[in-house]
Amino acid sequence: MISFENDYLEGAHEKVLEKIVETNYIQEPGYGNDSFSKEAIAKIKEVIDQPDASVYFLSGGTQTNQVVIDAVLKKYEGVIGADTSHINVHEAGAIEFSGHKVLTLPSKKGKITAAQVQKYINDLYEDSNYTHMVTPGMVYITYPTEYGTLYTKSELEALSRICKSFNIPLYIDGARLGYGLVSADADIDIKDIARLADIFYIGGTKIGALCGEAIVFSHQYKPQHFNTVIKQHGALLAKSRLVGVQFSTLFTNNLYFDISIHAVKMAMKIKKAFVNKGYQLYIDSPTNQQFFLIDNHTITELSKKVKFTCWEKYDEEHKIVRFATSWATREKDIDFLIEQI
Amino acid sequence: MISFENDYLEGAHEKVLEKIVETNYIQEPGYGNDSFSKEAIAKIKEVIDQPDASVYFLSGGTQTNQVVIDAVLKKYEGVIGADTSHINVHEAGAIEFSGHKVLTLPSKKGKITAAQVQKYINDLYEDSNYTHMVTPGMVYITYPTEYGTLYTKSELEALSRICKSFNIPLYIDGARLGYGLVSADADIDIKDIARLADIFYIGGTKIGALCGEAIVFSHQYKPQHFNTVIKQHGALLAKSRLVGVQFSTLFTNNLYFDISIHAVKMAMKIKKAFVNKGYQLYIDSPTNQQFFLIDNHTITELSKKVKFTCWEKYDEEHKIVRFATSWATREKDIDFLIEQI
Amino acid sequence: MISFENDYLEGAHEKVLEKIVETNYIQEPGYGNDSFSKEAIAKIKEVIDQPDASVYFLSGGTQTNQVVIDAVLKKYEGVIGADTSHINVHEAGAIEFSGHKVLTLPSKKGKITAAQVQKYINDLYEDSNYTHMVTPGMVYITYPTEYGTLYTKSELEALSRICKSFNIPLYIDGARLGYGLVSADADIDIKDIARLADIFYIGGTKIGALCGEAIVFSHQYKPQHFNTVIKQHGALLAKSRLVGVQFSTLFTNNLYFDISIHAVKMAMKIKKAFVNKGYQLYIDSPTNQQFFLIDNHTITELSKKVKFTCWEKYDEEHKIVRFATSWATREKDIDFLIEQI
Amino acid sequence: MISFENDYLEGAHEKVLEKIVETNYIQEPGYGNDSFSKEAIAKIKEVIDQPDASVYFLSGGTQTNQVVIDAVLKKYEGVIGADTSHINVHEAGAIEFSGHKVLTLPSKKGKITAAQVQKYINDLYEDSNYTHMVTPGMVYITYPTEYGTLYTKSELEALSRICKSFNIPLYIDGARLGYGLVSADADIDIKDIARLADIFYIGGTKIGALCGEAIVFSHQYKPQHFNTVIKQHGALLAKSRLVGVQFSTLFTNNLYFDISIHAVKMAMKIKKAFVNKGYQLYIDSPTNQQFFLIDNHTITELSKKVKFTCWEKYDEEHKIVRFATSWATREKDIDFLIEQI
């Protein structure tokens, strides 16, 4: 049965696979010292227009968040994030496992604001007991968010400004970065991300790769001995070529963004069709994840024909349902889905 | 200047001090093996009417919470608690430092309900991604709460029942246990605490001791190798006699409760006087902490005469202010305070 | 320049790559629920003849050691291992990062003995301060060892017996398991490993895979909520199919062992040639790593022609040098190497 | 029965107790802000002649080691120490619990040398895999050592020099600092300790106090937000006055050193008597712990009359036995002991 359950259902983009096969017998050193990783780093630095940035590759998103947050925070610091954020909800406590508290702010459609961050930190330092409280050492946001929504440029600029004012980094989790940046609603590009974030990662697992995320540190926040920290977290791939080759390919000839465009186009087709047929949007997402509010009976019927995710219970009669597209989604499968509703 | 800032302003009750002096030159083994600790354990087990319980002594409250929660939780488990709870707000991330997430529920007057716990856990296990979420392994409450309020017997029974239904322990932080149990509003005694909680601690630091908290485990939840765990956390006192002697004294001839009665009586006198003079209660607390909503001008004036704590900002014009009494509060100081308002 | 620096210089065996390509567009659930992982698990359970075992896949060796050791040990326990073991020397403190001490025993040629383990634990429990010492909760060995050597069947049986007598698991790190088991010196097969170890892992990264290690738990030691623990460590791959497909292929038609045979054959050819030309073995290794004691001048000359690893300084004039082969080593490269010496 | 088992058998020196009683009802803020702690800090800074040093008080030795080492080390760093050191053997893995590896060097009579440290670090950075190894971030020694022995001034100067050359701090655990400095064999005073160590602690628990250790940081190594770090470790006493009063008293009129002199005098009397009667020294200790090699029969007989510690088994016929004295040891008890041998 055709599935729209998530955006990691297939393997890798065929150009990525071809390159893995083509380079297979070239002998390369490991642990990040392979020439493919170096190539990929050079390409990413060019695309983001940050020649002084530092780029590292890890395998997956939760791992990346844990390693980055733990490496950058001081021991007594916590990370500010949305209550709905991935690090707070769906990482099985990976941040706390490494000793840090997630300091949550109530979110709207997955987003938090600069004003919230400012108030949180100001209130904390006004508290007579603030030395008994977790010191905020970073702000974490997702672009796009877990609900597919996007921060505007001015929202990001405000967050960036407030972080600078408190001398803490802004970290953007870009697990689905491509699907956000190519959206019609996006008013920024990857250069803006690199300029406004102090740290961010470019998601590969959900956009064309078998595995892999690319972490970018602006000069100021590059952790010392970062390869040792990665190794200490059990996150250093021996055959780093695997991720290096993939990112080198994805960042050749705009592939990463081109395949993102396809995914978002497919998602918009789903949205339009559902809305036209009277389905209710739960959130109006301009990216590859579409959330609808659907009654239980319809869910049961539709489940017999395609796979999708029941995100959470809304009330006794309805659930929030998610359809996800990806670089690999076939238009004919979208058409099939639309026929069923 | 006389202070009502908190309940740990003085040293120890004089009977406690006398006993420390009296036993000073008796040679005793350390690390929990001294005869005074054994004496104190026997007395506590008698008072709580739980001959099979296990009792241990630590130095302070945050330490106790960290050691107990870390020792009892499995590695992938978190602890459910009120968003306002001490472990979530004022322990500098001590729980997360030991690797565990605090899973917060919105509280009312410092309290959470069995229904909230039930819904939280049920919702979690209904989530399709629940294996990526922190498993709830304990419920933590405070008696009295951080706002001086008390759970009723039926509220505790409901929490106890729901914990049993999910096969996780109910842990009661009794940093101010005495001040709660002797309150006119309390409908339980320490035997009820010991029956309804799977784990609890009896606070000494705030009630008559120089330092020290007594942890009580019902048979089922006693951690293995607990002294090693305490040592591993850096929390095992060499001269365990120090805490042993103090608890042995506090649990002789009802001293712990008698001195608690005094503190609450003094707090009620403050409450009555403030209310009579038209001050507004922020929370109607029946225990040793009193919270008022006071305008900034009055606060400034009163601060010139006595010390108290500005708990948090309420609005631009008002603050929430706390006056705390303790076993050591002198009635003449209360009278002085009342004259100033 | 041809390299013999390590056994992870190339990508994956061509059959593995073919299967990755072939299955690329099949939609599969993630996080270990893909059908390829299930297939691979079934094949491994058959090969080891343990229908009740539990099998999980992770990305790399250090990650596997950290996750397994942390998941299986109780919080106050440490792991016994050789002073030269990978977890003690070359994992950047990954075990300590997760809170556990490595309890080291002096090794001979990378190996420790049952008698050493027995004496260590007996001495510890005879110590009057043993509750202040780290409780041994596991024995960790490598097969083959970091020096390419092998435990005999009777040595493993003795270790297994002693672990059972102390009621702790024996964990075998099989990063190079294939290269050990196919050695002419091996007197055991993988069924023996599965019978004598309580936990072990089958290394893929060094033997034919792009990445991936297969953890096997005997029924008794399977950790609770293990997928949550893996996620908490940031080690759960979204596209688990990547490792699943690879192990499924490696354990089809004996591929894993066949390619291991090639690597060891190449290593034996190196050993024979070096010994014939008068080079001194540092350790007589029967597996894919060969260690020689070579003078600095010869090292400098040889370095101009092929790549290899200077393992450690022996004295002012000599170094210990390692040549590693793998499933990918070409015989003509071995011949070229031999011509140079 | 009179005991020489350890140096924490009694409570506190009577002057310390008197001061606790005398100041009992003075209201003081907590968590390190009490005036007694400030007084004690001023006195210690004067005695060590380091007006810019930072001084903090904790409850016990293992706690102090854990908090200091974790606060000062970067996350990927470990601490170099003797294999016999307290942090490596008798702290139940407290250092590893906080995420750091103890990097052990073989010791002689409890001591390590600057040459060993230099070789260890140099070898590590020459290792081709050093980024996969734990980075040494501190050197830990004890003065006196766990075996009662003392470093000479020139040994300490060499260690200090080598630490400076690697830009890492030298940390001296002074759990028994007084008993070392007053020894006839000591060629340094506390000003030398403060000059040669970057961090050290002055032990109170074993020398006159009920509990408490004073940590001294030279300006350069004072951790940021240290009170928050202490709180995060569960180690911040609410009634910090308890330790403040004690150290203020111990550092008034040379009390700390005067009572140390008594302990060492008593220990020397034991040593002389045992040696005269033909007992064999295991280690020639010039401080308050005396170690003898005694046959099992004699041990059994002597155990019927006085208490002491069987430190470890030497061979089938002999054990290493420890007699400890302290500030509280009565001369008549020493005389009684001597009569028994």
Side-chain angles (χ1 to χ4, degrees):
Chain A
M1 197 185 291
I2 297 162
S3 173
F4 300 93
E5 290 170 296
N6 60 56
D7 34 20
Y8 41 87
L9 290 161
E10 292 88 0
H13 189 273
E14 60 190 18
K15 287 193 181 151
V16 168
L17 278 194
E18 278 163 19
K19 202 73 183 177
I20 289 175
V21 173
E22 180 190 319
T23 59
N24 189 53
Y25 288 107
I26 300 173
Q27 290 191 318
E28 288 287 341
Y31 298 114
N33 299 311
D34 62 291
S35 63
F36 309 119
S37 292
K38 287 172 187 166
E39 232 174 73
I41 290 169
K43 289 174 182 173
I44 288 172
K45 285 162 73 167
E46 199 186 325
V47 166
I48 64 172
D49 197 20
Q50 295 263 10
D52 292 339
S54 298
V55 181
Y56 292 85
F57 300 108
L58 294 186
S59 306
T62 295
Q63 180 181 80
T64 299
N65 286 333
Q66 187 194 65
V67 172
V68 166
I69 292 171
D70 189 40
V72 171
L73 289 187
K74 297 194 182 71
K75 285 162 193 177
Y76 51 88
E77 291 178 337
V79 54
I80 294 177
D83 51 4
T84 51
S85 65
H86 203 257
I87 55 168
N88 193 46
V89 183
H90 284 124
E91 301 196 348
I95 306 307
E96 293 81 5
F97 172 70
S98 68
H100 301 285
K101 191 177 187 69
V102 181
L103 305 163
T104 56
L105 297 176
S107 60
K108 281 197 186 142
K109 300 184 181 177
K111 292 160 62 180
I112 55 174
T113 68
Q116 282 180 291
V117 172
Q118 182 169 34
K119 181 171 163 30
Y120 181 87
I121 302 182
N122 281 341
D123 285 0
L124 185 143
Y125 285 119
E126 277 182 22
D127 192 300
S128 56
N129 277 321
Y130 81 90
T131 60
H132 295 191
M133 297 165 85
V134 175
T135 309
M138 176 188 278
V139 173
Y140 165 96
I141 59 170
T142 48
Y143 187 93
T145 69
E146 294 76 5
Y147 288 98
T149 55
L150 296 174
Y151 287 86
T152 65
K153 189 174 186 176
S154 76
E155 288 170 340
L156 290 175
E157 283 171 344
L159 280 163
S160 180
R161 219 162 27 231
I162 210 70
C163 284
K164 278 188 179 47
S165 79
F166 288 119
N167 205 23
I168 60 176
L170 176 63
Y171 169 42
I172 300 181
D173 174 334
R176 297 180 174 100
L177 189 62
Y179 300 146
L181 291 174
V182 305
S183 163
D185 280 25
D187 58 357
I188 57 167
D189 63 16
I190 199 168
K191 291 187 183 66
D192 295 309
I193 290 285
R195 184 174 50 84
L196 296 169
D198 298 292
I199 311 158
F200 69 103
Y201 83 82
I202 305 169
T205 300
K206 294 186 168 78
I207 310 185
L210 286 164
C211 64
E213 327 292 324
I215 309 168
V216 181
F217 294 102
S218 71
H219 186 64
Q220 184 186 358
Y221 285 103
K222 184 191 170 297
Q224 295 176 287
H225 294 243
F226 192 52
N227 267 327
T228 302
V229 175
I230 296 174
K231 181 76 179 171
Q232 183 193 33
H233 284 72
L236 196 61
L237 277 185
K239 293 182 179 169
S240 50
R241 64 190 295 145
L242 169 59
V243 182
V245 165
Q246 294 186 86
F247 269 93
S248 177
T249 308
L250 288 169
F251 280 84
T252 297
N253 295 332
N254 212 43
L255 181 62
Y256 185 74
F257 297 106
D258 288 346
I259 64 178
S260 295
I261 288 171
H262 170 75
V264 175
K265 194 176 146 197
M266 294 300 101
M268 292 306 104
K269 204 165 166 178
I270 291 177
K271 175 157 72 172
K272 195 174 161 194
F274 273 67
V275 169
N276 283 346
K277 303 217 177 170
Y279 284 83
Q280 189 185 338
L281 289 173
Y282 172 65
I283 275 182
D284 187 359
S285 156
T287 61
N288 78 311
Q289 301 182 83
Q290 295 299 316
F291 297 86
F292 305 102
L293 198 56
I294 311 190
D295 66 277
N296 294 341
H297 175 72
T298 305
I299 289 172
T300 306
E301 289 307 303
L302 197 52
S303 300
K304 294 173 185 164
K305 294 158 185 164
V306 293
K307 288 185 185 175
F308 51 90
T309 300
C310 288
W311 198 248
E312 52 185 86
K313 200 167 91 172
Y314 182 77
D315 61 24
E316 291 310 312
E317 309 289 314
H318 299 79
K319 289 199 180 65
I320 300 159
V321 156
R322 185 185 74 169
F323 290 81
T325 64
S326 80
W327 58 275
T329 304
R330 294 178 301 183
E331 187 144 16
K332 66 173 185 178
D333 292 343
I334 298 288
D335 294 338
F336 177 80
L337 166 64
I338 292 174
E339 282 163 30
Q340 313 310 317
I341 60 174
Chain B
M1 197 186 289
I2 297 163
S3 173
F4 300 93
E5 289 169 296
N6 59 56
D7 35 19
Y8 42 86
L9 290 160
E10 291 89 358
H13 190 274
E14 60 190 19
K15 286 192 181 153
V16 167
L17 277 193
E18 277 163 21
K19 203 73 184 181
I20 289 174
V21 173
E22 182 189 319
T23 59
N24 189 54
Y25 289 107
I26 300 173
Q27 291 190 316
E28 288 287 340
Y31 297 114
N33 298 311
D34 63 290
S35 63
F36 308 120
S37 292
K38 287 172 187 167
E39 232 174 73
I41 290 169
K43 287 174 184 174
I44 288 172
K45 285 163 73 166
E46 199 187 325
V47 166
I48 64 172
D49 198 20
Q50 295 263 10
D52 291 338
S54 297
V55 181
Y56 292 85
F57 301 107
L58 294 185
S59 304
T62 294
Q63 180 180 81
T64 299
N65 286 333
Q66 186 194 66
V67 172
V68 166
I69 292 171
D70 189 40
V72 171
L73 288 187
K74 297 194 181 70
K75 284 161 192 177
Y76 51 87
E77 291 179 337
V79 54
I80 293 177
D83 50 4
T84 52
S85 65
H86 202 256
I87 53 169
N88 192 46
V89 183
H90 284 123
E91 300 195 347
I95 307 306
E96 293 81 5
F97 171 70
S98 68
H100 301 285
K101 191 177 187 69
V102 181
L103 305 163
T104 56
L105 297 176
S107 60
K108 282 196 184 143
K109 300 184 180 176
K111 293 159 62 178
I112 56 173
T113 68
Q116 283 180 290
V117 171
Q118 183 169 33
K119 180 171 164 31
Y120 181 88
I121 302 182
N122 281 340
D123 285 0
L124 185 142
Y125 285 118
E126 276 182 23
D127 192 300
S128 56
N129 277 321
Y130 81 90
T131 60
H132 294 191
M133 298 166 84
V134 175
T135 309
M138 177 188 279
V139 173
Y140 165 95
I141 60 171
T142 47
Y143 186 94
T145 70
E146 292 77 5
Y147 287 99
T149 54
L150 296 175
Y151 287 87
T152 65
K153 189 175 184 175
S154 76
E155 288 170 340
L156 290 176
E157 283 171 344
L159 280 163
S160 179
R161 219 160 28 228
I162 210 71
C163 284
K164 279 189 178 47
S165 80
F166 289 119
N167 203 24
I168 59 177
L170 176 63
Y171 169 42
I172 300 181
D173 174 333
R176 296 181 174 100
L177 188 62
Y179 300 147
L181 290 175
V182 305
S183 164
D185 281 25
D187 58 357
I188 56 167
D189 63 17
I190 198 168
K191 291 187 182 67
D192 295 309
I193 291 285
R195 183 174 52 82
L196 296 169
D198 298 292
I199 310 159
F200 68 104
Y201 83 82
I202 305 169
T205 300
K206 295 185 168 79
I207 309 185
L210 286 163
C211 64
E213 326 293 325
I215 309 168
V216 181
F217 294 103
S218 70
H219 187 63
Q220 184 186 358
Y221 286 102
K222 184 191 173 297
Q224 294 176 288
H225 295 242
F226 192 53
N227 266 327
T228 302
V229 174
I230 297 174
K231 182 76 179 171
Q232 184 193 32
H233 284 72
L236 196 61
L237 278 184
K239 292 182 179 169
S240 49
R241 64 191 296 147
L242 169 59
V243 183
V245 164
Q246 293 185 88
F247 269 94
S248 176
T249 308
L250 288 168
F251 280 84
T252 297
N253 295 329
N254 212 43
L255 182 61
Y256 184 75
F257 297 105
D258 287 347
I259 65 179
S260 295
I261 288 171
H262 170 76
V264 175
K265 194 175 145 196
M266 294 300 100
M268 292 306 104
K269 205 165 165 179
I270 291 177
K271 174 156 73 172
K272 194 175 161 193
F274 272 67
V275 169
N276 283 347
K277 302 216 177 169
Y279 284 83
Q280 190 185 339
L281 289 174
Y282 172 66
I283 274 183
D284 188 359
S285 156
T287 61
N288 78 310
Q289 300 181 85
Q290 295 299 317
F291 297 87
F292 304 103
L293 197 57
I294 311 189
D295 65 277
N296 294 340
H297 175 72
T298 307
I299 289 172
T300 306
E301 290 307 303
L302 197 53
S303 300
K304 294 173 184 164
K305 293 160 186 164
V306 293
K307 290 187 184 171
F308 51 90
T309 301
C310 289
W311 199 248
E312 52 185 84
K313 201 167 89 172
Y314 182 78
D315 60 25
E316 292 309 311
E317 310 288 313
H318 299 81
K319 287 198 179 68
I320 300 160
V321 157
R322 184 185 75 168
F323 289 82
T325 64
S326 80
W327 59 274
T329 305
R330 292 177 303 182
E331 185 144 18
K332 67 173 184 177
D333 293 343
I334 298 290
D335 295 338
F336 176 82
L337 165 64
I338 293 172
E339 283 164 29
Q340 312 311 315
I341 61 175
Chain C
M1 197 186 290
I2 296 163
S3 173
F4 300 94
E5 289 171 296
N6 59 57
D7 34 21
Y8 41 87
L9 290 161
E10 291 88 0
H13 190 272
E14 60 191 18
K15 287 193 182 153
V16 167
L17 278 194
E18 279 163 20
K19 202 75 184 178
I20 289 175
V21 174
E22 179 190 321
T23 59
N24 189 52
Y25 288 107
I26 300 173
Q27 291 192 316
E28 288 287 339
Y31 298 115
N33 299 311
D34 62 290
S35 63
F36 309 119
S37 291
K38 287 173 188 166
E39 232 174 72
I41 290 170
K43 287 175 183 172
I44 288 172
K45 285 162 73 167
E46 200 187 324
V47 166
I48 64 173
D49 197 19
Q50 295 264 9
D52 292 339
S54 298
V55 181
Y56 293 85
F57 300 107
L58 295 185
S59 305
T62 294
Q63 181 180 81
T64 299
N65 286 334
Q66 187 194 66
V67 172
V68 166
I69 291 171
D70 189 40
V72 171
L73 288 188
K74 297 194 182 70
K75 286 162 190 174
Y76 51 87
E77 291 179 336
V79 53
I80 294 177
D83 50 4
T84 53
S85 64
H86 203 256
I87 54 168
N88 192 47
V89 182
H90 284 124
E91 301 194 350
I95 306 307
E96 292 81 5
F97 172 71
S98 68
H100 301 285
K101 192 177 185 69
V102 181
L103 305 163
T104 55
L105 297 177
S107 61
K108 283 197 184 142
K109 300 185 180 176
K111 292 160 62 179
I112 56 173
T113 68
Q116 282 179 290
V117 172
Q118 182 169 35
K119 179 171 165 28
Y120 181 88
I121 302 183
N122 281 341
D123 284 0
L124 185 142
Y125 285 119
E126 276 181 23
D127 192 300
S128 56
N129 277 322
Y130 81 90
T131 61
H132 294 192
M133 297 166 85
V134 176
T135 310
M138 178 189 276
V139 172
Y140 165 95
I141 60 171
T142 47
Y143 186 94
T145 71
E146 294 76 4
Y147 287 98
T149 54
L150 296 175
Y151 286 86
T152 65
K153 188 175 187 176
S154 76
E155 287 169 340
L156 290 176
E157 283 172 342
L159 280 163
S160 179
R161 216 158 35 227
I162 211 70
C163 284
K164 279 188 179 48
S165 80
F166 288 118
N167 204 24
I168 60 176
L170 175 63
Y171 170 41
I172 300 181
D173 175 334
R176 298 181 173 98
L177 188 62
Y179 300 146
L181 290 174
V182 306
S183 162
D185 280 25
D187 57 358
I188 57 168
D189 62 18
I190 198 168
K191 291 187 183 68
D192 295 308
I193 291 285
R195 184 174 51 83
L196 295 171
D198 298 290
I199 311 159
F200 68 104
Y201 85 82
I202 305 170
T205 299
K206 294 186 169 79
I207 310 185
L210 286 163
C211 63
E213 325 293 324
I215 309 167
V216 182
F217 294 104
S218 70
H219 187 64
Q220 184 186 0
Y221 285 103
K222 183 191 171 297
Q224 294 177 287
H225 295 241
F226 192 52
N227 266 327
T228 302
V229 174
I230 296 174
K231 181 76 178 169
Q232 184 193 34
H233 284 72
L236 196 61
L237 278 185
K239 293 183 179 168
S240 49
R241 63 189 297 144
L242 169 58
V243 183
V245 165
Q246 294 185 86
F247 269 94
S248 176
T249 308
L250 288 169
F251 280 83
T252 297
N253 293 333
N254 211 44
L255 181 62
Y256 185 76
F257 296 106
D258 287 348
I259 65 180
S260 294
I261 288 170
H262 170 76
V264 176
K265 194 175 147 198
M266 294 301 100
M268 293 307 104
K269 203 164 167 180
I270 291 177
K271 175 156 72 172
K272 194 175 162 194
F274 272 68
V275 169
N276 283 347
K277 301 219 177 166
Y279 283 83
Q280 188 184 338
L281 289 173
Y282 172 65
I283 274 183
D284 187 358
S285 156
T287 63
N288 78 311
Q289 301 181 86
Q290 295 299 317
F291 297 87
F292 304 103
L293 198 58
I294 312 189
D295 66 278
N296 294 341
H297 175 71
T298 305
I299 288 172
T300 306
E301 290 307 304
L302 198 52
S303 300
K304 295 174 185 165
K305 294 159 185 165
V306 294
K307 289 186 185 174
F308 51 89
T309 301
C310 289
W311 198 248
E312 53 184 84
K313 201 167 91 172
Y314 183 77
D315 60 25
E316 291 310 312
E317 309 288 315
H318 298 79
K319 289 200 179 64
I320 300 159
V321 156
R322 184 186 75 169
F323 290 81
T325 64
S326 80
W327 58 274
T329 304
R330 294 179 300 184
E331 187 145 17
K332 67 174 184 176
D333 292 343
I334 297 289
D335 294 339
F336 176 81
L337 166 63
I338 292 172
E339 283 164 28
Q340 312 311 314
I341 61 175
Chain D
M1 197 186 291
I2 298 162
S3 173
F4 300 93
E5 289 169 296
N6 59 57
D7 34 20
Y8 41 88
L9 290 161
E10 290 89 359
H13 190 273
E14 62 190 18
K15 285 190 181 155
V16 167
L17 277 193
E18 278 163 20
K19 202 75 183 177
I20 289 175
V21 172
E22 182 189 319
T23 60
N24 189 53
Y25 288 107
I26 301 173
Q27 290 190 316
E28 288 287 342
Y31 299 114
N33 299 310
D34 62 290
S35 63
F36 308 120
S37 292
K38 288 172 186 166
E39 233 174 73
I41 290 170
K43 287 174 183 173
I44 288 172
K45 285 161 73 167
E46 200 188 324
V47 166
I48 64 172
D49 198 19
Q50 295 264 9
D52 292 338
S54 298
V55 181
Y56 292 84
F57 300 108
L58 294 185
S59 304
T62 295
Q63 181 180 81
T64 299
N65 286 334
Q66 187 194 65
V67 172
V68 166
I69 291 171
D70 189 40
V72 172
L73 288 187
K74 298 193 182 71
K75 285 161 194 175
Y76 51 87
E77 291 179 338
V79 53
I80 294 177
D83 50 4
T84 52
S85 65
H86 203 256
I87 54 168
N88 192 47
V89 183
H90 284 124
E91 300 194 350
I95 306 308
E96 292 81 5
F97 172 70
S98 68
H100 301 286
K101 191 176 186 71
V102 181
L103 305 163
T104 56
L105 297 176
S107 61
K108 281 194 186 145
K109 299 184 179 175
K111 292 160 62 178
I112 55 175
T113 68
Q116 282 180 291
V117 171
Q118 182 168 34
K119 180 171 165 28
Y120 181 87
I121 302 183
N122 282 340
D123 285 359
L124 185 143
Y125 286 118
E126 277 182 23
D127 192 300
S128 56
N129 277 320
Y130 81 90
T131 62
H132 295 193
M133 298 166 84
V134 175
T135 310
M138 177 188 277
V139 172
Y140 166 96
I141 61 171
T142 48
Y143 186 94
T145 69
E146 293 77 4
Y147 287 99
T149 54
L150 297 174
Y151 287 87
T152 64
K153 190 175 186 175
S154 76
E155 288 169 341
L156 289 176
E157 283 172 343
L159 279 162
S160 179
R161 221 164 25 233
I162 210 69
C163 284
K164 279 188 180 46
S165 79
F166 289 118
N167 204 23
I168 60 176
L170 176 63
Y171 169 42
I172 300 182
D173 175 335
R176 297 182 174 99
L177 188 62
Y179 300 147
L181 290 174
V182 306
S183 163
D185 280 25
D187 58 358
I188 58 168
D189 62 18
I190 198 168
K191 291 187 183 68
D192 295 308
I193 291 285
R195 184 173 51 82
L196 296 169
D198 299 290
I199 311 158
F200 69 103
Y201 84 83
I202 305 169
T205 299
K206 294 185 168 79
I207 309 186
L210 285 164
C211 63
E213 325 293 323
I215 309 168
V216 181
F217 294 103
S218 70
H219 188 64
Q220 183 187 358
Y221 286 103
K222 183 191 171 298
Q224 293 176 289
H225 295 241
F226 193 51
N227 268 326
T228 302
V229 174
I230 297 174
K231 182 76 177 170
Q232 183 192 34
H233 284 73
L236 196 60
L237 276 184
K239 293 182 178 168
S240 50
R241 65 190 296 145
L242 169 59
V243 183
V245 164
Q246 294 185 87
F247 269 93
S248 177
T249 309
L250 288 169
F251 280 83
T252 298
N253 295 330
N254 212 42
L255 181 61
Y256 184 75
F257 297 105
D258 287 347
I259 65 178
S260 294
I261 289 171
H262 170 76
V264 176
K265 194 175 146 195
M266 293 301 101
M268 293 306 104
K269 204 165 165 179
I270 291 176
K271 173 156 73 171
K272 193 174 162 193
F274 273 67
V275 169
N276 284 346
K277 300 216 177 168
Y279 284 83
Q280 189 186 339
L281 289 174
Y282 172 65
I283 275 183
D284 188 358
S285 157
T287 62
N288 78 310
Q289 301 181 84
Q290 295 299 316
F291 298 86
F292 304 103
L293 199 57
I294 311 189
D295 66 278
N296 294 341
H297 175 72
T298 306
I299 288 172
T300 306
E301 290 306 304
L302 198 51
S303 300
K304 294 173 185 164
K305 294 160 187 164
V306 293
K307 289 185 184 175
F308 51 89
T309 301
C310 289
W311 199 248
E312 52 184 85
K313 202 167 89 172
Y314 182 78
D315 60 24
E316 292 310 312
E317 310 288 313
H318 299 80
K319 289 198 179 64
I320 300 159
V321 156
R322 184 185 76 168
F323 290 80
T325 65
S326 80
W327 58 275
T329 304
R330 293 180 301 185
E331 185 144 18
K332 67 174 184 177
D333 293 343
I334 298 289
D335 294 339
F336 176 81
L337 166 63
I338 293 172
E339 282 165 28
Q340 312 312 315
I341 61 175

